[in-house]
Amino acid sequence: FRRVLFRSVRYTRLWETMEKRGMSQYRLIRYHGISAGQMRRLKLNMNVSTQTIERLCRALECRVEDVMEVVLEDPGTEE
């Protein structure tokens, strides 16, 4: 029997990286081409395009790992 793990994407690292770099959501939207809708999706840990991830990495001068993480969750356990 094989357990099924669910994947979820979390953007907690994005907010930490933004704080470290002194980058505001306003600056990302105004100067780096990130839409307000994409920022909302990031806040809700929803899927965003790879183009959005790339723009974030360029704006923050960081790696993908500094913006997001993929977490495998076992539906049979509670956090």
Side-chain angles (χ1 to χ4, degrees), residues 12-52:
T12 308
R13 294 177 180 180
L14 168 63
W15 313 116
E16 294 167 356
T17 301
M18 285 174 60
E19 186 173 334
K20 286 178 191 172
R21 302 277 200 279
M23 179 70 73
S24 68
Q25 291 181 51
Y26 173 80
R27 283 179 54 200
L28 286 173
I29 293 167
R30 176 86 168 136
Y31 302 110
H32 297 285
I34 307 294
S35 73
Q38 290 298 304
M39 291 303 297
R40 182 175 183 279
R41 293 179 68 81
L42 290 161
K43 284 183 190 177
L44 297 173
N45 290 318
M46 297 174 71
N47 291 331
V48 295
S49 71
T50 53
Q51 181 182 32
T52 297

Side-chain angles (χ1 to χ4, degrees), residues 53-70:
I53 299 297
E54 180 183 357
R55 285 182 179 170
L56 289 168
C57 289
R58 287 181 187 269
L60 294 166
E61 297 179 355
C62 68
R63 298 170 51 134
V64 172
E65 299 85 32
D66 298 322
V67 171
M68 63 179 282
E69 66 180 320
V70 177

